[in-house]
């Protein structure tokens, strides 16, 4: 289990501050394989104190950024994260009707609420019924009715509250057949992440 790595980090196995880095990445069918190295010197990658092979089974999504090292608080495995919403939450359509009061102020409020809830990890227009950013959103809100967004409940309810506050009447429609699962986990190191149902780890031998 991936918890073995976290236990090694939190259990005081290392006498100094450590840095983690994905040094290898392979995709083979339904399995993604990562190698994670742990260093005690951020600038000397020859000083490897631990190394782990991580198998990501039944994966759904991944993003592997540049292979650089990160401090230990940038490493996590979790079941609760904005990147998991599409796999755990039903998508809800939000419709609006009426005329807006202070459209630009509304857009600003929507932007701030979105980035607060998503921890600034998901683009503002990810779930909005727009094609070209805030200019398109201003045009959309200038209409008397329409589909505003299709997204997870936590965002949709926040959008709905703000639309109502600024003068719109709203209605919600849950999409039929939206898959929901509590089986997915997020493995993250800095900006790199993998979404999968299971992570298996093997501790590798490190040459002294």
């Amino acid at each position: 289990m991936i918890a073995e790595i976290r236990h090694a980090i939190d259990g005081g196995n290392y006498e100094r501050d450590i840095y983690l880095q994905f040094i290898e990445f392979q995709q083979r069918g339904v399995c993604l394989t990562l190698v994670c190295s742990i260093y005690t010197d951020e600038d000397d990658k020859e000083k490897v104190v631990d190394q782990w092979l991580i198998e990501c089974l039944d994966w759904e999504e991944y993003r592997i950024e540049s292979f650089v090292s990160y401090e230990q608080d940038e490493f996590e495995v979790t079941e609760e994260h904005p990147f998991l919403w599409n796999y755990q939450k039903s998508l809800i359509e939000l419709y609006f009707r009426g005329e807006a009061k202070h459209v630009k102020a509304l857009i600003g409020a929507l932007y701030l609420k979105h980035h607060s809830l998503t921890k600034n990890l998901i683009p503002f227009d990810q779930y909005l019924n727009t094609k070209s950013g805030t200019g398109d959103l201003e045009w959309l809100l200038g209409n008397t009715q329409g589909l505003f967004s299709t997204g997870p409940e936590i965002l949709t309810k926040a959008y709905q509250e703000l639309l109502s506050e600024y003068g719109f009447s709203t209605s919600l429609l849950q999409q039929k057949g939206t898959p929901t699962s509590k089986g997915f986990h997020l493995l993250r190191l800095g900006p790199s992440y993998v979404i999968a149902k299971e992570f298996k780890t093997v501790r590798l031998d490190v040459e002294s």
Side-chain angles (χ1 to χ4, degrees), residues 171-191:
S171 59
L172 301 176
L173 178 64
Q174 182 168 318
Q175 287 191 343
K176 295 181 179 180
T178 301
T180 59
S181 172
K182 295 182 179 179
F184 289 106
H185 300 75
L186 175 82
L187 164 66
R188 183 185 69 85
L189 178 60

Side-chain angles (χ1 to χ4, degrees), residues 1-204:
M1 292 291 292
I2 199 76
E4 293 175 327
I5 304 177
R6 190 74 257 176
H7 178 73
I9 294 172
D10 297 336
N13 287 26
Y14 315 109
E15 296 180 357
R16 302 172 56 188
D17 291 339
I18 61 170
Y19 305 89
L20 298 92
Q21 179 179 349
F22 291 146
I23 64 166
E24 293 182 21
F25 170 76
Q26 291 184 347
Q27 177 183 339
R28 296 177 179 174
V30 297
C31 180
L32 297 179
T33 302
L34 297 165
V35 174
C36 181
S37 287
I38 298 178
Y39 311 93
T40 55
D41 190 328
E42 185 177 16
D43 299 318
D44 187 352
K45 299 303 173 59
E46 298 298 321
K47 296 181 179 179
V48 180
V49 295
D50 224 343
Q51 198 166 73
W52 298 82
L53 175 71
I54 305 171
E55 290 185 299
C56 311
L57 305 177
D58 293 327
W59 62 274
E60 284 287 334
E61 180 184 341
Y62 67 86
R63 182 176 71 196
I64 304 298
E65 299 275 329
S66 58
F67 289 83
V68 297
S69 59
Y70 294 91
E71 296 182 4
Q72 62 190 56
D73 59 356
E74 288 292 312
F75 177 84
E76 67 172 332
V77 179
T78 180
E79 298 179 6
E80 296 292 333
H81 195 277
F83 287 158
L84 292 170
W85 287 346
N86 286 347
Y87 305 98
Q88 295 177 334
K89 312 294 184 183
S90 296
L91 296 181
I92 300 177
E93 296 175 354
L94 171 60
Y95 293 87
F96 68 95
R97 180 187 295 271
E99 294 185 7
K101 301 175 183 177
H102 312 296
V103 172
K104 290 184 178 179
L106 170 57
I107 292 174
L110 288 165
Y111 178 88
L112 293 175
K113 176 61 69 172
H114 172 93
H115 282 279
S116 173
L117 291 174
T118 65
K119 302 177 183 178
N120 205 25
L121 295 170
I122 297 176
F124 179 43
D125 59 355
Q126 176 93 7
Y127 300 106
L128 302 180
N129 185 28
T130 60
K131 296 180 180 179
S132 59
T134 56
D136 197 18
L137 180 56
E138 187 172 357
W139 173 86
L140 175 65
L141 291 170
N143 294 309
T144 58
Q145 61 181 353
L147 171 65
F148 180 77
S149 65
T150 303
E153 181 177 4
I154 186 172
L155 279 177
T156 303
K157 292 294 183 65
Y159 296 159
Q160 182 186 34
E161 181 178 342
L162 287 170
L163 289 177
S164 299
E165 181 180 331
Y166 279 81
F168 286 112
S169 60
T170 62
S171 59
L172 301 176
L173 178 64
Q174 182 168 318
Q175 287 191 343
K176 295 181 179 180
T178 301
T180 59
S181 172
K182 295 182 179 179
F184 289 106
H185 300 75
L186 175 82
L187 164 66
R188 183 185 69 85
L189 178 60
S192 299
Y193 68 87
V194 179
I195 294 172
K197 287 194 172 181
E198 185 178 2
F199 299 99
K200 293 185 177 180
T201 58
V202 177
R203 201 171 203 155
L204 303 176

